[in-house]
Amino acid sequence: GGSTYFPYAKNSVEYFSIVDNKYIFKALINGFNLPQPRLYFSVGAEYEVICEEDFVSRLGKLKSDIVLKPIDGSCGEGIFIYHYKNGTYNLKDKPVSVSSIWNSISSGKRRYLVEEKVTQKKSYSALNPSCLNTYRIILIRLDDGDSYVARVALRIGKRGSMVDNTSMG
């Protein structure tokens, strides 16, 4: 079924939320002191930010590039990268008001993480500068407790794409 189904086939249902919920996964990774993009705040009914005023206030204090990522999304779907330039957030070089950003993410039932935008090394940007090219590593723990690296891949996004996911080209 591909890597999308692998975590479900090899794990008990009690662990599915770790795979399905990026907020929980981020907390787990944080507990192991592994590097990851900084989480500024989360948006959604049961998360930190639930109203436009709070969202506008928090973004007004950040004044930096941000990535909005659906908490329960996958395959790069629903990810937005906003660049902060000249006092305004920009999506694909077009100025966007903070209120319109709120309207676009609050109109559905999606919940979002608002994270820092990671800047990659120049050598990785040479591969594709429009997205964050990433390594994906699958580590498998066997029944006897031993672990091994099952797969390592360098994912390079399609020219012009904001994400490196295969499903996005």
Side-chain angles (χ1 to χ4, degrees):
S3 64
T4 303
Y5 304 103
F6 185 78
Y8 303 103
K10 299 296 181 184
N11 288 291
S12 170
V13 70
E14 65 200 68
Y15 299 111
F16 285 8
S17 63
I18 294 170
V19 176
D20 291 338
N21 185 307
K22 288 181 179 66
Y23 186 83
I24 293 172
F25 186 78
K26 223 171 164 45
L28 178 68
I29 295 298
N30 194 39
F32 288 110
N33 292 318
L34 294 171
Q36 60 181 319
R38 180 177 172 204
L39 174 63
Y40 292 125
F41 56 90
S42 55
V43 179
E46 61 276 4
Y47 292 91
E48 296 169 87
V49 174
I50 58 172
C51 68
E52 181 177 0
E53 294 76 22
D54 193 12
F55 184 79
V56 169
S57 172
R58 286 175 186 245
L59 278 190
K61 292 174 187 170
L62 282 180
K63 299 181 182 351
S64 62
D65 292 353
I66 58 169
V67 176
L68 271 66
K69 188 183 297 183
I71 288 174
D72 53 358
S74 63
C75 299
E77 202 173 299
I79 292 177
F80 299 98
I81 299 172
Y82 292 92
H83 299 280
Y84 189 79
K85 185 169 59 176
N86 301 326
T88 306
Y89 284 98
N90 297 269
L91 180 64
K92 296 183 179 181
D93 294 325
K94 293 184 180 179
V96 181
S97 73
V98 175
S99 290
S100 67
I101 297 172
W102 170 259
N103 290 336
S104 69
I105 66 171
S106 66
S107 59
K109 292 184 179 180
R110 280 214 150 137
R111 305 162 302 169
Y112 281 84
L113 299 179
V114 180
E115 298 180 330
E116 75 174 315
K117 181 184 176 292
V118 175
T119 302
Q120 64 189 343
K121 294 181 179 183
K122 287 183 182 183
S123 57
Y124 292 117
S125 285
L127 299 170
N128 182 1
S130 67
C131 74
L132 184 64
N133 304 294
T134 61
Y135 281 100
R136 300 291 173 103
I137 302 169
I138 295 178
L139 182 68
I140 296 177
R141 184 174 51 201
L142 303 173
D143 292 337
D144 65 6
D146 284 344
S147 299
Y148 74 96
V149 175
R151 185 178 83 170
V152 176
L154 171 60
R155 293 167 52 137
I156 304 167
K158 180 175 133 181
R159 186 183 314 247
S161 176
M162 295 185 299
V163 296
D164 68 356
N165 294 70
T166 306
S167 65
M168 301 303 247

